[in-house]
Amino acid sequence: MPKPIYVLSGPNLNLLGTREPEIYGHQTLEDVRKACEARAASLGREVVFRQSNHEGELIDWIQEARDKASALVINPAGYGHTSIAILDALKAAGVPVVECHLSNPAAREPFRRRTYVALAATGVVSGFGLASYELAVEAAAGLTR
Ligand code: CA2
């Protein structure tokens, strides 16, 4: 089996399912984890699923992915719109990157229209709720068959 697909989620996504369900849905991050694991298993793959509220911890995991992962799926949350450090880490990771978002940031406030992460991503999946993660895992698996 190829190396696992790292699925990383950024700040505040631990709150999923508890607030703003009209934007982010009713499902929890644990539901998202299970869905990603199931989609990966259906493709003969594994995921390493992690969430952090800390930029440096996300960067440590992105650096770790260079040796331990075949591809990276990342929902950078708010950091996508602000973090050049995460962009730099992704560019150095040496594995394909798929960016995903639960909502469609392009249809929201103007400050969400650009993400730095997209500059390092092969593609972006946005607006499908939990399915954005499943589709991103599938895309990442397809990039690293
Ligand atoms: O749509 C997405 O997945 C976002 O990455 C979510 C970020 C937002 O800053 C991006 O523009 C788009 C926010 C994550 C906050 O997650 C929460 C979940 C439940 C309750 C409160 C916040």
Side-chain angles (χ1 to χ4, degrees), residues 59-79:
I59 289 168
D60 287 344
W61 292 339
I62 293 166
Q63 291 184 4
E64 181 185 303
R66 183 172 182 86
D67 290 329
K68 298 200 173 158
S70 59
L72 259 170
V73 169
I74 183 164
N75 181 350
Y79 284 146

Side-chain angles (χ1 to χ4, degrees), residues 49-127:
F49 190 92
R50 296 178 184 159
Q51 185 273 335
S52 179
N53 293 327
H54 303 280
E55 188 175 20
E57 188 164 39
L58 290 162
I59 289 168
D60 287 344
W61 292 339
I62 293 166
Q63 291 184 4
E64 181 185 303
R66 183 172 182 86
D67 290 329
K68 298 200 173 158
S70 59
L72 259 170
V73 169
I74 183 164
N75 181 350
Y79 284 146
H81 309 298
T82 63
S83 178
I84 293 168
I86 287 178
L87 169 63
D88 289 342
L90 290 169
K91 281 185 165 171
V95 294
V97 175
V98 180
E99 180 178 0
C100 81
H101 296 278
L102 297 154
S103 67
N104 177 4
R108 298 177 63 190
E109 303 95 324
F111 61 81
R112 295 187 200 276
R113 286 193 194 138
R114 182 205 58 194
T115 78
Y116 289 112
V117 165
L119 294 168
T122 302
V124 184
V125 186
S126 296

Side-chain angles (χ1 to χ4, degrees), residues 20-57:
E20 300 189 82
E22 64 288 351
I23 300 175
Y24 299 117
H26 289 280
Q27 283 147 323
T28 65
L29 196 63
E30 185 59 11
D31 296 327
V32 176
R33 182 181 66 76
K34 287 182 188 152
C36 287
E37 287 175 356
R39 180 61 61 99
S42 77
L43 299 165
R45 303 293 293 269
E46 284 175 354
V47 297
V48 168
F49 190 92
R50 296 178 184 159
Q51 185 273 335
S52 179
N53 293 327
H54 303 280
E55 188 175 20
E57 188 164 39

